[in-house]
């Protein structure tokens, strides 16, 4: 089975996959190479693509991974939600030593994914977790190369959000004067 990262109780996970409470794992600082680990997470291979929008479960605000936040992503050994990178860079949650060793061993570069080797592990994980609706991984796919980063960095997201905020009495258009009744 794939190992899980960031399947927090606040996101509705329990049992084998649950990684405990996010609120209880918040730290003031993260790993020294946290920004590079976040890039690694963002570059992961998509297992599922979920069309949804979500918010930060602690702050209640939108974030750069809001769209498709519960889509599943992998590096071939570990599996995480697409929004895990947000929780890591925002709350600096602790990471398993085996995961950080793997990421650093790959020099923070997402490895290629050999579908023939990966499919049995992925499908076993999805079936054991009862996620039959996610669909099985197609072993006929060849080696998948990581795609370029498809999500804004946190700094890019914040800058864009600031630019898009209207100033003044937004949402109001000039009203036509009413005609007097009569």
């Amino acid at each position: 089975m794939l190992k899980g990262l960031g399947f927090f109780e606040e996101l509705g996970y329990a049992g084998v996959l649950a990684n405990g409470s996010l609120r209880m794992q918040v730290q003031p600082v993260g790993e020294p190479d946290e920004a590079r680990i976040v890039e690694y997470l963002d570059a992961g291979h998509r297992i599922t693509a979920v069309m949804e929008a979500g918010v930060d479960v602690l702050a209640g605000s939108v974030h750069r991974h809001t769209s498709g936040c519960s889509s599943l992503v992998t590096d071939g050994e570990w599996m995480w939600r697409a929004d895990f990178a947000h929780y890591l860079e925002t709350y600096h949650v602790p990471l398993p030593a085996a995961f950080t060793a793997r990421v650093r061993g790959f020099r923070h570069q997402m490895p290629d994914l050999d579908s023939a080797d990966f499919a049995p592990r992925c499908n076993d994980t999805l079936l054991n977790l009862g996620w039959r609706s996610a669909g099985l991984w197609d072993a006929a796919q060849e080696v998948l190369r990581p795609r370029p980063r498809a999500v804004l960095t946190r700094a890019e997201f914040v800058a864009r959000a600031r630019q898009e905020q209207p100033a003044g009495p937004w949402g109001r258009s000039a009203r036509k004067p009413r005609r007097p009744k009569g």
Side-chain angles (χ1 to χ4, degrees):
M1 274 190 45
L2 297 172
K3 301 169 193 164
L5 289 171
F7 293 95
F8 302 113
E9 293 170 1
E10 291 85 350
L11 298 169
Y13 295 97
V16 177
L17 193 58
N19 295 127
S21 169
L22 169 61
R23 190 175 311 279
M24 300 305 292
Q25 296 182 53
V26 173
Q27 300 181 117
V29 294
E31 297 284 336
D33 56 346
E34 183 176 271
R36 303 222 30 229
I37 294 172
V38 166
E39 290 175 7
Y40 180 90
L41 293 169
D42 284 341
H45 303 279
R46 292 281 173 144
I47 298 174
T48 63
V50 179
M51 289 184 60
E52 67 172 344
V55 296
D56 180 309
V57 294
L58 297 185
S61 58
V62 297
H63 52 81
R64 68 188 185 94
H65 293 93
T66 293
S67 179
C69 60
S70 65
S71 298
L72 299 177
V73 184
T74 188
D75 66 358
E77 185 173 325
W78 295 84
M79 174 178 69
W80 56 91
R81 288 171 46 112
D83 61 355
F84 179 60
H86 163 73
Y87 293 109
L88 178 62
E89 70 186 351
T90 304
Y91 300 112
H92 316 292
V93 296
L95 296 167
F99 175 73
T100 55
R102 178 175 171 82
V103 173
R104 291 171 183 146
F106 283 118
R107 296 187 178 127
H108 302 89
Q109 299 298 310
M110 181 60 56
D112 294 344
L113 192 65
D114 183 348
S115 290
D117 292 337
F118 176 68
R121 294 179 68 205
C122 177
N123 294 339
D124 182 48
T125 301
L126 295 175
L127 292 173
N128 281 330
L129 295 172
W131 293 347
R132 286 172 176 73
S133 63
L136 297 179
W137 189 270
D138 181 7
Q141 295 182 56
E142 298 192 12
V143 175
L144 300 178
R145 309 262 185 258
R147 294 184 182 168
R149 185 182 187 121
V151 74
L152 298 174
T153 65
R154 185 174 186 182
E156 292 167 339
F157 176 81
V158 169
R160 185 174 289 176
R162 286 187 182 137
Q163 289 174 350
E164 292 175 359
Q165 291 179 348
W170 54 275
R172 294 185 180 174
S173 57
R175 297 182 97 180
K176 293 181 184 177
R178 293 188 180 183
R179 289 190 207 161
K181 291 183 180 180

